[in-house]
Amino acid sequence: MNRIDRISAILIQLQSRRVVKAGDIASRFGISLRTVYRDIRTLEEAGVPVIGEAGIGYSLVDGYRLPPIMFTREEATAFLTAEKFVEKLTDVSTTAHHRSAMYKIRAILKTAEKDLLDTMEGSIEVLKSRSQRQIDNQDHIQTILNGIINKSVLCIEYLAGYMQTYSRREIEPVGIFYLDSYWHLIAYCRLRSDYRDFRLDRIRELNITDSKFEGKHPLLKDYIAQTASEHHLETIIIRVDKKMLPYINEQKYYNGFVSEVDAGDQVEMTFLTTSPGYIARWFLMFGDQAEIISPPDVIKRVTELVENITRRNVLPV
C-alpha cells in the first residue's frame, strides 16, 4: 500500500471509532510508531481536525465526516461474501439487519461495482456443515447483543447437556462466539454465581428483563484467554502427509486445531487441547501417514495404545 492510500485508510479508521490508539494503527499497517506520527501530522496539515491525547489516542472533532466513500471491487465482493456467511450462520433478525445495511452499501456503489455484485451473486455460496445446528429461527443473537449494550439481565430457559432437563436462569451477558458449528454465549449465571458457557441451540426461550447489572465483566477475549490458561491447554504438534488432508481437514477443528505450516510433502499442524489422550486416539486413524513432533508424552500414549491393541488382537496360531 502506498503512503497516500495508507493515509486515506487511517482517516477512515479514525472515523470508525471514538478513539484510536497509535499502536493499533501501527499494527494494522505494519509500520512504526514514528511513521504513524508522521502520517497523522500529514492529515493535520491537510486540514483534518485530529485531536491527539498522550496515553489515550487519536480522535476526530465531533461532527467531522468524510464525503461518501467509494469502495474498491475487492471490498465490494468482501461485503457480498460476508453477507453469505451471515445468512447461513446467524439468526433471522441479524440476517435482516445485515441485508438492510447491504442495501445502503449498494446504494453508494458506482454502477460498475453494482453490476459486479449482481454478477458475483451466484458465484459465492456458503453451505452448512452436517453438524451445524440452527437457532430455531429465533432472534437470540440480536437479543443478547442488545442485552450486552444496555447491561440488561437476560432470563433464559436452558437445556443442560449433562442433565437433559430445562432450567430457568437469570444471566448477565458478556459476549458471544461461534465455534465448531455452534454459537456460544458467555454470561455470568446468577443461579450458579459464576461464569458459564451457554450454547444458543439449547436455549428454548430468551427474554430481556427490566433489571440492569452494575458489575463490570471481563471482555470476551480476556475471559477466553483466562479460561484457556486455567484449563492448562497443552500444545501438540504433528506432521501429516498431504495426501491425508482431505480425510482429516474437517475433524481437526474438533481437536483444538490452531495453525498449520507447509513442510514439503507434509503439513505441520499445531493443536491446543486439554485432552492429549483423545488426540492420541484420533491420531491412530491416520498414524501410518503421520508423525508426532511433540510432546513426548503423546508419543508415549500412542505407543501404549498400539501395544494394547496388538496384545488384544493377536491372530490364533
Side-chain angles (χ1 to χ4, degrees):
M1 179 183 289
N2 61 48
R3 186 164 186 258
I4 294 176
D5 289 341
R6 185 179 69 239
I7 291 174
S8 298
I10 290 174
L11 178 53
I12 293 171
Q13 186 174 0
L14 290 172
Q15 282 200 296
S16 69
R17 291 178 177 271
R18 191 164 58 87
V19 177
V20 179
K21 296 180 180 178
D24 292 339
I25 297 174
S27 177
R28 178 187 176 190
F29 298 102
I31 57 178
S32 67
L33 288 176
R34 181 175 295 180
T35 301
V36 172
Y37 303 149
R38 189 163 57 246
D39 288 350
I40 292 294
R41 190 160 55 250
T42 298
L43 286 172
E44 292 172 335
E45 291 171 353
V48 178
V50 180
I51 301 173
E53 296 184 60
I56 297 177
Y58 297 107
S59 59
L60 296 177
V61 171
D62 284 344
Y64 179 81
R65 289 292 180 270
L66 278 175
I69 300 169
M70 293 296 106
F71 294 101
T72 65
R73 296 177 63 172
E74 291 77 12
E75 290 169 337
T77 53
F79 277 121
L80 180 60
T81 304
E83 184 177 28
K84 298 289 184 178
F85 275 97
V86 170
E87 287 177 354
K88 296 295 183 182
L89 303 182
T90 61
D91 58 12
V92 175
S93 182
T94 303
T95 300
H97 290 312
H98 189 273
R99 187 177 295 122
S100 176
M102 279 298 298
Y103 284 136
K104 295 177 182 178
I105 290 172
R106 287 173 184 257
I108 65 172
L109 295 178
K110 292 181 288 188
T111 302
E113 293 165 346
K114 293 176 182 177
D115 292 341
L116 172 67
L117 289 191
D118 289 340
T119 302
M120 294 296 295
E121 185 81 36
S123 300
I124 303 173
E125 193 57 71
V126 174
L127 302 178
K128 294 180 181 178
S129 66
R130 289 185 291 272
S131 59
Q132 186 179 327
R133 298 292 187 271
Q134 272 280 33
I135 314 177
D136 297 332
N137 290 326
Q138 299 183 58
D139 296 335
H140 288 344
I141 292 177
Q142 287 301 311
T143 304
I144 291 167
L145 294 178
N146 286 334
I148 295 172
I149 292 170
N150 299 315
K151 287 199 166 187
S152 298
V153 175
L154 305 180
C155 181
I156 64 172
E157 193 170 333
Y158 188 73
L159 176 65
Y162 58 93
M163 295 178 60
Q164 291 299 301
T165 57
Y166 281 97
S167 62
R168 188 165 288 274
R169 317 272 190 100
E170 285 194 347
I171 61 173
E172 301 173 10
V174 174
I176 61 174
F177 64 93
Y178 186 81
L179 176 67
D180 293 341
S181 300
Y182 296 99
W183 279 98
H184 296 253
L185 161 65
I186 298 298
Y188 181 82
C189 178
R190 290 185 167 184
L191 177 65
R192 305 300 183 196
S193 299
D194 200 0
Y195 293 98
R196 289 290 187 268
D197 179 344
F198 300 99
R199 264 184 28 194
L200 266 61
D201 62 300
R202 291 180 176 169
I203 298 178
R204 182 164 65 181
E205 186 178 336
L206 187 153
N207 295 294
I208 292 182
T209 71
D210 294 329
S211 301
K212 304 290 184 181
F213 57 88
E214 301 297 332
K216 186 175 181 180
H217 296 301
L219 295 174
L220 178 64
K221 64 178 182 180
D222 294 337
Y223 174 81
I224 292 175
Q226 178 185 348
T227 302
S229 173
E230 291 174 350
H231 282 81
H232 306 293
L233 290 174
E234 188 167 349
T235 301
I236 297 174
I237 301 175
I238 67 173
R239 283 185 181 169
V240 185
D241 293 352
K242 286 184 176 178
K243 61 185 176 183
M244 288 300 300
L245 295 183
Y247 304 102
I248 67 171
N249 262 340
E250 185 173 341
Q251 296 175 356
K252 68 185 180 185
Y253 294 104
Y254 296 92
N255 292 281
F257 173 76
V258 175
S259 63
E260 62 183 35
V261 177
D262 191 289
D265 293 334
Q266 295 181 307
V267 171
E268 185 172 292
M269 297 182 175
T270 300
F271 297 82
L272 283 176
T273 181
T274 58
S275 305
Y278 185 86
I279 283 198
R281 292 182 177 276
W282 175 63
F283 180 82
L284 291 179
M285 297 174 57
F286 54 90
D288 60 327
Q289 306 289 330
E291 57 190 281
I292 298 169
I293 305 303
S294 66
D297 175 64
V298 177
I299 299 175
K300 181 180 177 182
R301 288 172 184 261
V302 170
T303 302
E304 291 174 350
L305 286 170
V306 171
E307 290 174 350
N308 290 336
I309 292 171
T310 303
R311 200 165 35 245
R312 297 188 58 149
N313 294 273
V314 178
L315 289 172
V317 178

